[in-house]
Amino acid sequence: MRKSKTPAIAARSDLPSANEDVAKLRLELHHHSLEELEETGLVRLDRQEQTVKEGPKFNDKKARISLY
């Protein structure tokens, strides 16, 4: 198991989503940790604001499929 660089943030699932699209993705992939979603590039954890935002591969269907 990988250790998170920022366990206090990555382990939390209660961080607010930056917008509705991010919230929908998180619901769709709720069984994955935020750290996994960030590693695939689907989301980006804004550690300063403590929110979850769209990542560089947010609209990449292949990135989403790779999680299934």
Side-chain angles (χ1 to χ4, degrees):
M1 181 180 235
R2 287 177 135 168
K3 287 192 175 184
S4 172
K5 295 176 186 171
T6 55
I9 299 269
R12 291 180 55 192
S13 62
D14 62 339
L15 295 175
S17 298
N19 62 47
E20 188 175 337
D21 290 333
V22 173
K24 287 179 183 178
L25 173 69
R26 290 176 69 187
L27 268 174
E28 179 183 333
L29 301 171
H30 72 278
H31 55 281
H32 293 281
S33 70
L34 288 176
E35 185 177 43
E36 287 176 297
L37 298 177
E38 185 176 41
E39 286 176 4
T40 62
L42 291 170
V43 300
R44 180 174 60 84
L45 297 177
D46 186 325
R47 287 162 175 81
Q48 197 168 35
E49 291 182 22
Q50 292 200 348
T51 58
V52 181
K53 297 183 176 184
E54 294 179 9
K57 294 185 178 180
F58 183 79
N59 292 313
D60 185 339
K61 291 182 181 179
K62 288 181 184 178
R64 291 182 189 207
I65 289 171
S66 72
L67 292 170
Y68 289 104

